[in-house]
Amino acid sequence: MKKILLIATGLLFVSGLFFIYFCVSQKQEEPKILSQLESKENGNGKGEFVFSITNVGKEETTLMFPTWLEYNVSISSLDNKEIESGEIIMRHLDLNEENREGRLLLLEPNEKLEYRLLLTRIPKGNYEINISSASGFGGVIREEFIINY
């Protein structure tokens, strides 16, 4: 009788360990963020872009932005011209530049967040814009554009 009780207790203990292992060790889904860049108007020394991030996963996702600038952006000349600092003016239309702190943002499944970026005083030429979410998810989007007068 003691052997049966000991074996039953052992099996119960081992099955409990397996249950805990499989329940606790399940990894949370990696955030699935889709980044997109849409060009609205380019020319006459201006460029307007809409950068969006969308949660395409099945679960809500929390994104952490360390500063007020919730995306990383760079402009480069494809004509091998040097762009001097301050030559191109960037206006971040959907962000509060006075807010020096970052934020946590909860994106529900299929929820989309859009940012508008306006570039002015761009000299005539061929350019490339590189943009990515500052949260680290969604990858880098590159798009070439031309400024004509």
Side-chain angles (χ1 to χ4, degrees):
M1 184 72 169
K2 283 185 177 182
K3 284 185 178 182
I4 294 175
L5 187 60
L6 187 62
I7 291 173
T9 305
L11 286 175
L12 186 62
F13 179 72
V14 170
S15 62
L17 285 176
F18 275 116
F19 178 75
I20 290 171
Y21 173 76
F22 286 113
C23 287
V24 173
S25 69
Q26 286 185 355
K27 292 182 179 178
Q28 210 172 11
E29 181 183 90
E30 181 78 17
K32 293 180 181 170
I33 302 296
L34 174 67
S35 296
Q36 295 176 308
L37 181 65
E38 183 181 347
S39 178
K40 289 291 189 183
E41 174 189 339
N42 293 322
N44 297 325
K46 292 183 194 176
E48 185 176 346
F49 298 91
V50 176
F51 175 64
S52 64
I53 55 176
T54 307
N55 180 5
V56 294
K58 295 179 182 177
E59 297 179 13
E60 61 187 22
T61 299
T62 301
L63 302 177
M64 184 179 80
F65 299 104
T67 66
W68 66 271
L69 188 56
E70 296 180 4
Y71 52 84
N72 304 310
V73 63
S74 69
I75 307 294
S76 19
S77 173
L78 297 176
D79 298 329
N80 293 325
K81 295 179 187 173
E82 189 171 318
I83 302 173
E84 294 188 27
S85 179
E87 186 174 2
I88 297 175
I89 298 174
M90 283 189 202
R91 290 197 179 97
H92 309 281
L93 302 177
D94 297 309
L95 296 173
N96 181 5
E97 295 181 42
E98 303 302 316
N99 180 12
R100 295 293 176 213
E101 298 178 12
R103 70 175 174 154
L104 288 176
L105 179 68
L106 182 70
L107 274 182
E108 297 292 331
N110 298 315
E111 187 175 1
K112 185 177 194 176
L113 186 61
E114 292 185 338
Y115 303 100
R116 294 172 297 149
L117 176 66
L118 180 63
L119 308 173
T120 57
R121 290 185 24 196
I122 308 174
K124 181 179 179 180
N126 298 310
Y127 296 91
E128 179 180 63
I129 183 171
N130 297 307
I131 193 164
S132 66
S133 172
S135 69
F137 297 104
V140 178
I141 305 291
R142 293 174 174 83
E143 185 173 309
E144 294 181 11
F145 64 99
I146 299 172
I147 299 297
N148 294 319
Y149 287 98

